[in-house]
Amino acid sequence: MANNAKPFADMATMMQQFKVPGFDMAPIIESRRKDMEALVEANKTVYEAVQALARRQTEIMTETTQGLQDSAKRLSGGGAPDAALVGNAYQKAFADMKELAEMVRKSQIDAMAGITARATQSVAEMKLLMQPK
């Protein structure tokens, strides 16, 4: 039965059955393990960013709702709508959208940084493996 906790152990066992003389599979398996670890880390980064984005969107929605309620109270109390109120609301909405976009941009950069670093390492590992011994 496969050990789900250590999928690469099963892969290593399987690869040993197909040994080719003069060809060591261990470095290749180790390299692929590192690739998977980089993908897992990138996924964790993205997951955490999505959670932070959802939290911030909830905060923005709460702030906006509170602002609408305050404006409605002011207007129902006989206050007249003014251009500053509309302008401030527009500026706040624009700033919030910009903040959310920046959060998304940063999370993409963070996730890709690990994958890019691992890809660079993987290419270097493959070059070493391809060199004649």
Side-chain angles (χ1 to χ4, degrees), residues 22-38:
F23 190 73
D24 187 11
M25 289 297 292
I28 295 172
I29 293 170
E30 179 64 15
S31 181
R32 296 303 68 84
R33 184 189 64 74
K34 289 177 183 178
D35 292 347
M36 296 309 281
E37 285 177 354

Side-chain angles (χ1 to χ4, degrees), residues 32-82:
R32 296 303 68 84
R33 184 189 64 74
K34 289 177 183 178
D35 292 347
M36 296 309 281
E37 285 177 354
L39 287 173
V40 168
E41 285 302 313
N43 283 333
K44 284 180 185 178
T45 300
V46 170
Y47 179 74
E48 290 167 1
V50 168
Q51 286 183 321
L53 189 63
R55 277 191 302 271
R56 185 60 188 131
Q57 285 175 325
T58 301
E59 291 169 4
I60 290 169
M61 182 62 79
T62 301
E63 292 168 4
T64 302
T65 302
Q66 185 62 46
L68 287 172
Q69 288 174 349
D70 293 345
S71 296
K73 285 178 187 176
R74 193 172 334 138
L75 293 174
S76 68
D82 60 359

Side-chain angles (χ1 to χ4, degrees), residues 95-126:
D96 290 342
M97 288 189 303
K98 186 176 177 182
E99 177 186 358
L100 293 174
E102 180 61 25
M103 289 175 72
V104 170
R105 186 191 70 78
K106 185 180 180 319
S107 70
Q108 288 173 337
I109 289 171
D110 292 347
M112 285 305 296
I115 292 173
T116 302
R118 179 61 204 140
T120 302
Q121 292 170 356
S122 185
V123 168
E125 290 167 359
M126 287 300 141

Side-chain angles (χ1 to χ4, degrees), residues 85-97:
L85 181 66
V86 174
N88 289 341
Y90 177 78
Q91 288 178 348
K92 172 83 168 97
F94 186 74
D96 290 342
M97 288 189 303

Side-chain angles (χ1 to χ4, degrees), residues 22-23 124-133:
F23 190 73
E125 290 167 359
M126 287 300 141
K127 283 181 181 179
L128 285 174
L129 288 173
M130 297 299 175
Q131 290 179 353
K133 295 181 181 183

